[in-house]
Amino acid sequence: LGFVFGPAIGGVLSDISLVLPFIVAGICSTLTAVGVLIFLKESPTKTKRQDTRLNKSVTKILFSNDGLLLVLQVFVTLSLATLEVTFAYFAAEKIGMDSFTLGFVFMIMGLCAAAVQGGLIGVLVKKLGEQKVIMLGLALSTVGFITILFISNFITTAIFISIFGVGNGLIR
């Protein structure tokens, strides 16, 4: 929920003060951490479980097909982090988008990613397999990342960044 509604709430709060979204996020994070410590208990079967995949050497994993996808995932994660940090400057410079509107653009992207992860991903993995879904996600992320360069208004921004969000949703 925070990934979906957080940007919109941050955009609204930034109209009051640029510091306020950080304060509210910090309070929410602290409350979440306290809630986890109080209400979530460690699974008692954890010590009984053994995962044979963990016994593989790191080099064996990295040089396999799954390892390549893992490395690509690292780059996609970095691209998402980079987008979140720099996109506000880009959108403000290119189309004059303010933080309030930008918050709603990121909320739309979050809704798209949540819809993919909440309903579509299971169907796609069953139908296509995990590797093909990851490759599809990487392709959509790439297309979304490139098309972001061509934003011209709120609608194109929401569409292009949502393509990127759907791609990221497929990968995660």
Side-chain angles (χ1 to χ4, degrees):
L1 292 175
F3 183 73
V4 174
F5 297 110
I9 293 168
V12 170
L13 294 176
S14 70
D15 270 357
I16 299 167
S17 164
L18 289 178
V19 175
L20 190 57
F22 296 101
I23 293 170
V24 171
I27 292 169
C28 289
S29 295
T30 303
L31 291 174
T32 301
V34 169
V36 166
L37 290 172
I38 293 171
F39 298 111
L40 294 181
K41 303 296 179 209
E42 184 64 41
S43 171
T45 61
K46 184 177 181 183
T47 56
K48 295 178 183 176
R49 285 183 272 155
Q50 284 190 341
D51 192 351
T52 55
R53 293 176 294 167
L54 293 177
N55 295 330
K56 290 183 180 179
S57 74
V58 173
T59 53
K60 207 178 228 185
I61 292 170
L62 284 178
F63 290 107
S64 68
N65 286 337
D66 291 339
L68 175 62
L69 292 175
L70 179 65
V71 170
L72 289 172
Q73 174 60 29
V74 168
F75 284 108
V76 169
T77 300
L78 289 173
S79 71
L80 180 60
T82 303
L83 173 77
E84 290 171 345
V85 171
T86 59
F87 185 71
Y89 297 111
F90 176 74
E93 181 70 27
K94 181 142 186 184
I95 61 173
M97 188 172 285
D98 61 2
S99 60
F100 182 85
T101 308
L102 186 64
F104 284 97
V105 168
F106 277 120
M107 183 186 78
I108 292 167
M109 180 182 82
L111 284 170
C112 292
V116 167
Q117 291 176 346
L120 187 60
I121 190 113
V123 174
L124 286 175
V125 167
K126 285 180 185 173
K127 192 171 192 168
L128 302 174
E130 214 170 79
Q131 283 191 336
K132 286 184 181 176
V133 171
I134 291 171
M135 295 305 288
L136 177 63
L138 288 169
L140 281 174
S141 291
T142 303
V143 168
F145 211 62
I146 291 169
T147 56
I148 286 170
L149 295 172
F150 304 104
I151 63 170
S152 58
N153 55 40
F154 176 82
I155 300 293
T156 59
T157 304
I159 290 169
F160 297 158
I161 207 163
S162 292
I163 292 169
F164 182 76
V166 167
N168 271 277
L170 288 173
I171 295 166
R172 302 189 185 277

